[in-house]
Amino acid sequence: MRKKKLDSETEKKILDAAMEEFHQRGIHGARMQEIADRAGVSKSMLHYYFISKEKLFDKVFENTMANIFPRINTILNSDLPLFQKIAVFMNTYTDILFENYHSTGFIMAELTVNTEKVLKMTVHGAGFNMDIFRKQVEQEHRSGNIRKTDTRILFLNMISLIILPFIAMPIQLQ
């Protein structure tokens, strides 16, 4: 029983250290030795838990997405009226990014390099579903409250309005 607890504690230390390293340096800039040093384990112990840098990276990316997508899904699939849903989404997603500042660049970099992998892990893997949101947008159009719009473009615009300040933050600080 004690050994199992130590194992999960070690794994958590490794994942926390890897998250910091990958979020700051990306998969290509991250070094396994640096992750091992941050976690306080040997490099061989790191490889015992995670066979390769790619497997460790995948787990970190999966954990990063697991912190974001369920919360987004909950909002998009809620029965809130559309305009209230958009406001709640904007506030929640902003809070998520403040909580996970480094995840923004991390996700954007990975999206640029491995689009299919990101889509598989996020949109498809997390059960991401915009059907309710899309139906609400269509209903608001039929009611004459908004112009006809592609829901995907609306959603991307919402995300980009939130993400840009986080991506540009290093520029703003100079």
Side-chain angles (χ1 to χ4, degrees), residues 113-171:
V113 176
N114 291 312
T115 305
E116 287 303 314
K117 182 178 180 180
V118 172
L119 290 176
K120 182 180 176 191
M121 291 178 84
T122 58
V123 176
H124 307 302
F128 191 66
N129 186 341
M130 291 193 33
D131 287 344
I132 294 171
F133 184 70
R134 181 183 44 77
K135 288 175 185 173
Q136 286 179 298
V137 170
E138 291 169 357
Q139 178 58 43
E140 290 296 329
H141 168 66
R142 283 192 298 277
S143 299
N145 296 326
I146 62 173
R147 286 188 270 158
K148 183 164 179 61
T149 187
D150 184 325
T151 307
R152 295 168 302 174
I153 300 301
L154 172 60
F155 187 70
L156 288 174
N157 280 323
M158 291 165 41
I159 289 174
S160 65
L161 286 169
I162 299 166
I163 289 176
L164 181 60
F166 287 92
I167 292 172
M169 199 167 295
I171 297 168

Side-chain angles (χ1 to χ4, degrees), residues 11-21 35 38-39 60:
E11 184 174 341
K12 182 177 178 353
K13 284 180 188 177
I14 292 169
L15 286 170
D16 290 346
M19 184 173 288
E20 286 179 34
E21 182 74 7
I35 294 168
R38 283 182 185 213
V60 167

Side-chain angles (χ1 to χ4, degrees), residues 57-91:
F57 179 85
D58 287 348
K59 186 66 176 172
V60 167
F61 195 83
E62 180 183 306
N63 288 351
T64 300
M65 294 296 97
N67 188 36
I68 296 172
F69 275 86
R71 291 164 71 181
I72 290 172
N73 261 344
T74 299
I75 295 165
L76 291 178
N77 292 312
S78 73
D79 58 359
L80 291 171
L82 179 64
F83 297 110
Q84 186 178 356
K85 183 179 285 190
I86 291 171
V88 169
F89 170 83
M90 300 294 273
N91 287 328

